[in-house]
Amino acid sequence: MSSTRSGILETARRLITEQGPQVSMAEVARAAGISRQAVYLHFSSRASLLVAVVRNMDEQNGIRSRCEKALTGEEPVEAFRAFLRVWLRYVATIHPVASVLLASRRDDPDAAAAWTDRMGELHEGFLVAAHRLGAAGRLRPGLAPDVAADLAWAMTSIPVWEQLTADRGRSAGDVEEHLIGAVTAALTGDPTP
């Protein structure tokens, strides 16, 4: 990645955290010390810039490969728990940007595009895990894999994590442990350890 592109992404990330996703291409250019045209040479639209910012965060943290590795565990329930652990630990890292995008997505189509892009890929990981649980006969009776994926995805969402940590004052570690237990129990019917 070119140093200009990298600088644009880091500047945009900082501005999103400070001002929200409504930051303009001109503001990013000004803060990065480059022309607006230079920003447009790298990103065709504000939506493409926001999507690139969140994808870059994921790439820098290697979240995709860490989630994929977690899901390769031999025992499906333990692999699911490992996947949840990787995701929930990552939430703390992305929370400053993710919460801003979430709050703005209803009124800002560009923020919605970035949110949908990342949450769609995350949901695919939940689908893989749920299908694996189903194939192993570990989903509770009557629970289809697609419904299981939806439930797990929603129960470990950034708003749930935020409510438990920010609103209820729980530590990220406690939230991680309780959500892993609750979500696993909800999908498998096994008692929480």
Side-chain angles (χ1 to χ4, degrees), residues 50-90:
L50 294 179
V51 169
V53 166
V54 292
R55 284 183 179 180
N56 185 57
M57 291 171 61
D58 287 358
E59 288 168 16
Q60 286 179 339
N61 286 282
I63 188 63
R64 182 183 189 119
S65 63
R66 291 190 295 138
C67 284
E68 287 172 349
K69 182 178 178 186
L71 288 172
T72 63
E74 223 171 282
E75 203 286 312
V77 174
E78 289 310 312
F80 180 61
R81 288 179 197 268
F83 173 79
L84 291 174
R85 189 171 311 285
V86 168
W87 163 238
L88 290 167
R89 287 184 180 169
Y90 186 53

Side-chain angles (χ1 to χ4, degrees), residues 4 41 47 51 58 61 78 81 91 122 150 165 172 174:
T4 301
L41 286 173
V51 169
D58 287 358
N61 286 282
E78 289 310 312
R81 288 179 197 268
V91 170
L122 174 65
D150 289 351
T165 57
D174 283 348

Side-chain angles (χ1 to χ4, degrees), residues 80-183:
F80 180 61
R81 288 179 197 268
F83 173 79
L84 291 174
R85 189 171 311 285
V86 168
W87 163 238
L88 290 167
R89 287 184 180 169
Y90 186 53
V91 170
T93 301
I94 62 170
H95 179 256
V97 171
S99 63
V100 169
L101 292 174
L102 176 63
S104 302
R105 72 187 171 126
R106 299 211 190 289
D107 301 324
D108 183 342
D110 297 338
W115 177 263
T116 300
D117 180 77
R118 297 296 76 215
M119 291 302 103
E121 186 170 315
L122 174 65
H123 189 269
E124 289 175 21
F126 277 103
L127 276 171
V128 169
H131 280 286
R132 187 161 180 225
L133 289 169
R138 295 304 309 269
L139 286 178
R140 67 179 161 79
L143 185 61
D146 62 325
V147 175
D150 289 351
L151 290 173
W153 178 77
M155 292 172 71
T156 60
S157 66
I158 292 167
V160 168
W161 183 90
E162 182 177 60
Q163 286 175 321
L164 292 169
T165 57
D167 297 348
R168 300 304 308 152
R170 306 262 180 225
S171 73
D174 283 348
V175 168
E176 176 185 314
E177 291 309 313
H178 291 299
L179 283 176
I180 289 170
V183 172

Side-chain angles (χ1 to χ4, degrees), residues 2-16:
S2 75
S3 60
T4 301
R5 182 179 174 87
S6 179
I8 293 167
L9 290 172
E10 287 306 313
T11 300
R13 179 180 177 175
R14 180 178 51 80
L15 291 176
I16 290 165

